[in-house]
Amino acid sequence: MANINEIARLAGVSVSTVSRVLNHHKYVSEEKRAAVQKIIDEMNYTPNRNAVDLIRGETKKIGVIIPYTNNQAFDQLLHGVLNRSVEKDYAIIVLPTKYNPDKEIEHLFMLKNKLLDAIIITSRANPWEDILPFTEYGSVISCEYTGHPEIGCSYMDRYASYLEVFQLLKDKGHRNIAFTTARGTESTSTRQTIAAYENVFGKLDRAYQQSDCFRFEDGYAAGQRLLSLDPRPTAVYANGDEVAGGIFKYAKSVGLDIPADLVIIGQENQPVGVGLDLSSLDHQLVKVGEQAFDLAMAKSKAKVETPYKLILRSSI
Amino acid sequence: MANINEIARLAGVSVSTVSRVLNHHKYVSEEKRAAVQKIIDEMNYTPNRNAVDLIRGETKKIGVIIPYTNNQAFDQLLHGVLNRSVEKDYAIIVLPTKYNPDKEIEHLFMLKNKLLDAIIITSRANPWEDILPFTEYGSVISCEYTGHPEIGCSYMDRYASYLEVFQLLKDKGHRNIAFTTARGTESTSTRQTIAAYENVFGKLDRAYQQSDCFRFEDGYAAGQRLLSLDPRPTAVYANGDEVAGGIFKYAKSVGLDIPADLVIIGQENQPVGVGLDLSSLDHQLVKVGEQAFDLAMAKSKAKVETPYKLILRSSI
DNA sequence: ATGAAAGCGCTAACAG
DNA sequence: CTGTTAGCGCTTTCAT
């Protein structure tokens, strides 16, 4: 395909003039500008962005590290990021990790490779110490709060939100509460859930926590296990509405009434929760994602909190 | 940051030798290789992939054109693409269009700009004639069948699947059937839905079709309208399980029994459908996405069909 | 206002 | 086996 040299030759000008036309510089005579534009149109020429990026040293590309792409919570974050990227004309590269630490580091190297201007970490598998070195090569934004000053954060106060849920359940008279989490205690949100629980109800009996819950089926299985405990929980907090939906389905299948026999609260206000009329702790992840993009683009290291909402429906 | 010249200087060799070490060429003496590697490690050097891409003329990046990113169907396709991209070490760039034809063309230009090796179109807003010219610059894969030989296709036989659904409903004795679609007749799948309907039931009364259905709320509103028709439909086919969920919720709210008073069939086997035990026409979009990636990577122009599955639950 | 020339960081003939 | 050299396609001083 044609390149800038050919355009210059055909238009009878130098490459610098073509470059000036391309980049809308002033100080180009109208005649030359027109002549160059004519050739550009004739040749159907477009600059090679790769070459432009190389010389400019920036790519207008932002990576988003995401453990699971078939997960509503991460999809909401990604959706928020994409919302803004379209307006701002940035390209978004999705970087799935399945929480594999090596894969995550491999993705972070794209920053060093000059393939990315910034990276947004929706959830991480590596300790911050292993991530911090990469801030030297580009902006790193986290969707989880961290005090590290090198890292910009667009986050919500998970701990406070969990506290509110557990406190509400306590106020309603519940004493046997179960909950589900995605990962185990290697994850910040799991630790925060446990801390909030223990703040309200005291020491947790680990039998009442079910890890590895991501999808509907996981919720169903969790319901099966948790609802056969003695004493049976009268309320369960699920780390997602899909999981809550699975618990709901199992509970119904064994004849339990919601909410008389079992209160269910889900998370992230997803369609399945709306459909089953489940209460949901909405962390407003779309907004968090949008904010994360803005921080990334601005290379800001600010810490920005987005408020959560507790949506009460008939399941409580 | 250090570049290849500096590494060469420090290691006391030429840049070509460094390049050879970097690319694991043979014919590099073990001593030089070691010397170069030592400097690379010391300097914590990584090649600038932008420069590599520029000279190689390929980017190992594939774009995915997606109308809506908060939509389960497209997310399934994207999920499939990402599944394979991680294995094959390709970067995936998400290109949202909201069915804006200009935005779509803008994205296609990334192929011409040498920013992308291939583009996967999950759904399009432009006629094929406007898309075809871009096949000159890279591989274009469609998730909808088209006879154009320049376009590789990973698709499912939508028409046959719709036909099966409507035939099933007819066999079960239904005569008044309503259905929802995403867009209007500018969309292939809408046209195919109508064609399949008319093949089975004859001329469609347009009142029984509801367009612009994407999310749960749209389904609820559609239910409201469709279920007040006279005669009231005894079955409704929804273009997604979220939409089906909305219809379900409205139907329940006015005291209808599912399936006695109303049969509901959704699409794509999504969590909300599982939760509400709705039957669903599963086009296996994850597989379609995986296949699309394989075609894109191989620069294949093959037409590959993925079979659909009709999942029957209690809503029929 | 315009052009020559020096890169951006890397790869790959080519010669030796 | 190794180095020299000519690019990849573009931007940006620096003169004029």
Side-chain angles (χ1 to χ4, degrees):
Chain A
M1 217 190 60
N3 63 23
I4 198 172
N5 291 293
E6 191 177 348
I7 302 299
R9 189 171 52 73
L10 261 29
V13 300
S14 72
V15 290
S16 0
T17 299
V18 178
S19 176
R20 288 185 187 106
V21 172
L22 252 20
N23 296 289
H24 308 102
H25 280 209
K26 39 192 184 181
Y27 304 139
V28 180
S29 72
E30 181 48 32
E31 317 148 54
K32 299 235 175 194
R33 206 204 56 71
V36 169
Q37 191 58 55
K38 180 159 171 288
I39 302 294
I40 286 178
D41 293 342
E42 275 176 26
M43 301 297 294
N44 187 24
Y45 164 77
T46 328
N48 181 323
R49 277 267 310 257
N50 235 322
V52 177
D53 288 351
L54 172 61
I55 199 161
R56 285 216 232 271
E58 65 161 34
T59 61
K60 295 267 226 167
K61 296 192 194 78
I62 293 179
V64 182
I65 287 185
I66 279 195
Y68 299 102
T69 55
N70 51 349
N71 173 300
Q72 286 268 0
F74 295 122
D75 282 350
Q76 280 188 54
L77 286 167
L78 180 60
H79 181 59
V81 171
L82 287 164
N83 277 168
R84 307 305 315 273
S85 77
V86 173
E87 299 165 20
K88 301 297 183 183
D89 232 46
Y90 268 68
I92 298 301
I93 302 197
V94 184
L95 308 169
T97 64
K98 296 190 179 172
Y99 281 125
N100 176 336
D102 295 336
K103 204 44 159 177
E104 189 172 293
I105 294 293
E106 197 182 297
H107 289 324
L108 283 164
F109 263 95
M110 295 180 79
L111 225 40
K112 195 177 175 200
N113 290 339
K114 297 288 177 192
L115 242 30
L116 257 28
D117 292 346
I119 276 194
I120 294 168
I121 302 179
T122 61
S123 183
R124 77 203 146 85
N126 284 284
W128 283 116
E129 305 86 74
D130 293 348
I131 296 173
L132 289 177
F134 291 95
T135 59
E136 187 188 332
Y137 310 113
S139 178
V140 177
I141 305 298
S142 167
C143 294
E144 161 202 352
Y145 177 83
T146 166
H148 292 292
E150 304 92 324
I151 308 273
C153 303
S154 168
Y155 68 102
M156 55 281 167
D157 191 342
R158 297 198 103 99
Y159 179 72
S161 74
Y162 298 145
L163 209 55
E164 184 168 330
V165 167
F166 288 126
Q167 192 59 55
L168 175 68
L169 291 174
K170 186 175 188 184
D171 293 348
K172 295 260 182 186
H174 294 277
R175 288 301 172 268
N176 298 307
I177 278 95
F179 61 88
T180 64
T181 60
R183 292 181 294 162
T185 47
E186 74 276 17
S187 121
T188 312
S189 63
T190 298
R191 287 201 305 273
Q192 288 174 327
T193 309
I194 295 175
Y197 175 95
E198 298 197 328
N199 186 321
V200 175
F201 294 108
K203 184 68 185 152
L204 166 70
D205 175 352
R206 278 306 176 85
Y208 286 78
Q209 179 204 342
Q210 176 63 53
S211 293
D212 301 304
C213 288
F214 297 95
R215 314 188 56 75
F216 195 93
E217 308 80 65
D218 304 327
Y220 193 88
Q224 213 158 357
R225 195 182 73 68
L226 294 172
L227 296 180
S228 63
L229 288 171
D230 183 26
R232 198 187 71 208
T234 59
V236 50
Y237 169 64
N239 63 312
D241 285 348
E242 271 195 44
V243 174
I247 296 170
F248 178 93
K249 184 155 190 187
Y250 176 76
K252 282 289 194 182
S253 78
V254 294
L256 292 181
D257 183 78
I258 312 295
D261 301 323
L262 182 72
V263 156
I264 300 178
I265 300 182
Q267 200 176 285
E268 306 324 349
N269 193 22
Q270 299 157 17
V272 56
V274 182
L276 298 172
D277 212 45
L278 302 176
S279 299
S280 191
L281 175 56
D282 184 355
H283 286 119
Q284 305 219 72
L285 299 178
V286 175
K287 280 191 189 169
V288 173
E290 290 174 346
Q291 186 62 248
F293 175 88
D294 290 343
L295 293 179
M297 204 188 81
K299 303 188 192 315
S300 161
K301 295 177 180 9
K303 316 284 184 188
V304 183
E305 183 178 329
T306 295
Y308 60 85
K309 278 189 205 166
L310 186 49
I311 300 173
L312 296 181
R313 299 202 181 94
S314 69
S315 74
I316 188 166
Chain B
M1 217 192 57
N3 63 22
I4 198 171
N5 292 293
E6 192 176 347
I7 302 298
R9 189 171 53 72
L10 261 30
V13 299
S14 72
V15 291
S16 6
T17 298
V18 177
S19 176
R20 287 185 188 106
V21 172
L22 253 19
N23 297 290
H24 307 100
H25 281 210
K26 38 191 184 179
Y27 305 138
V28 180
S29 73
E30 182 48 32
E31 316 148 56
K32 299 234 176 194
R33 207 204 55 73
V36 169
Q37 192 57 55
K38 180 159 169 288
I39 302 294
I40 287 179
D41 293 342
E42 273 176 28
M43 300 296 292
N44 187 22
Y45 165 78
T46 328
N48 181 323
R49 277 268 310 255
N50 235 321
V52 177
D53 288 352
L54 172 60
I55 199 162
R56 285 215 230 269
E58 65 160 35
T59 62
K60 294 266 226 170
K61 296 191 195 76
I62 293 178
V64 183
I65 287 185
I66 279 196
Y68 299 103
T69 55
N70 52 349
N71 173 300
Q72 286 268 1
F74 295 121
D75 282 350
Q76 280 187 55
L77 285 167
L78 180 59
H79 180 59
V81 172
L82 287 165
N83 278 167
R84 306 304 315 274
S85 77
V86 173
E87 300 165 21
K88 301 297 184 182
D89 232 47
Y90 268 68
I92 298 301
I93 302 196
V94 184
L95 308 169
T97 65
K98 295 190 180 173
Y99 281 125
N100 176 335
D102 296 335
K103 205 42 157 177
E104 188 171 294
I105 293 293
E106 198 180 296
H107 290 323
L108 283 164
F109 264 95
M110 295 180 79
L111 224 41
K112 195 176 176 202
N113 291 338
K114 296 288 175 196
L115 241 31
L116 258 26
D117 291 346
I119 276 194
I120 294 169
I121 301 178
T122 61
S123 184
R124 77 204 146 85
N126 285 284
W128 283 117
E129 303 85 75
D130 293 348
I131 296 174
L132 289 178
F134 291 95
T135 59
E136 188 188 332
Y137 310 115
S139 178
V140 176
I141 305 297
S142 166
C143 295
E144 161 202 350
Y145 178 83
T146 165
H148 291 293
E150 304 93 324
I151 309 272
C153 303
S154 169
Y155 68 102
M156 56 281 166
D157 191 343
R158 296 197 102 100
Y159 180 72
S161 74
Y162 299 144
L163 208 55
E164 184 168 331
V165 167
F166 288 127
Q167 192 59 55
L168 175 67
L169 291 174
K170 186 174 186 184
D171 292 348
K172 294 258 184 189
H174 295 277
R175 288 300 174 268
N176 297 305
I177 279 97
F179 60 89
T180 64
T181 60
R183 293 180 293 161
T185 47
E186 75 275 17
S187 121
T188 313
S189 64
T190 298
R191 286 201 305 273
Q192 289 175 326
T193 309
I194 295 174
Y197 174 95
E198 298 198 326
N199 186 321
V200 175
F201 294 107
K203 185 69 186 152
L204 165 70
D205 175 352
R206 278 307 176 82
Y208 287 78
Q209 180 206 340
Q210 175 63 53
S211 293
D212 301 304
C213 288
F214 296 95
R215 316 187 55 75
F216 196 93
E217 308 80 66
D218 304 327
Y220 193 88
Q224 213 157 357
R225 194 182 74 68
L226 294 172
L227 296 180
S228 62
L229 289 169
D230 183 25
R232 199 188 69 207
T234 58
V236 50
Y237 169 64
N239 62 313
D241 285 349
E242 273 194 43
V243 174
I247 296 170
F248 178 94
K249 184 154 190 186
Y250 176 76
K252 282 289 194 184
S253 78
V254 294
L256 293 180
D257 182 77
I258 312 295
D261 301 323
L262 182 72
V263 156
I264 299 178
I265 300 183
Q267 201 176 287
E268 305 326 349
N269 194 21
Q270 299 157 17
V272 57
V274 182
L276 298 173
D277 213 44
L278 302 176
S279 299
S280 191
L281 175 56
D282 183 354
H283 286 118
Q284 306 221 71
L285 298 178
V286 176
K287 279 192 190 169
V288 173
E290 291 174 346
Q291 186 62 248
F293 175 88
D294 290 343
L295 292 179
M297 204 188 81
K299 304 189 190 316
S300 162
K301 296 178 181 7
K303 318 283 185 188
V304 182
E305 184 179 329
T306 295
Y308 60 86
K309 277 189 205 166
L310 186 50
I311 300 174
L312 296 181
R313 300 203 181 93
S314 68
S315 73
I316 187 167

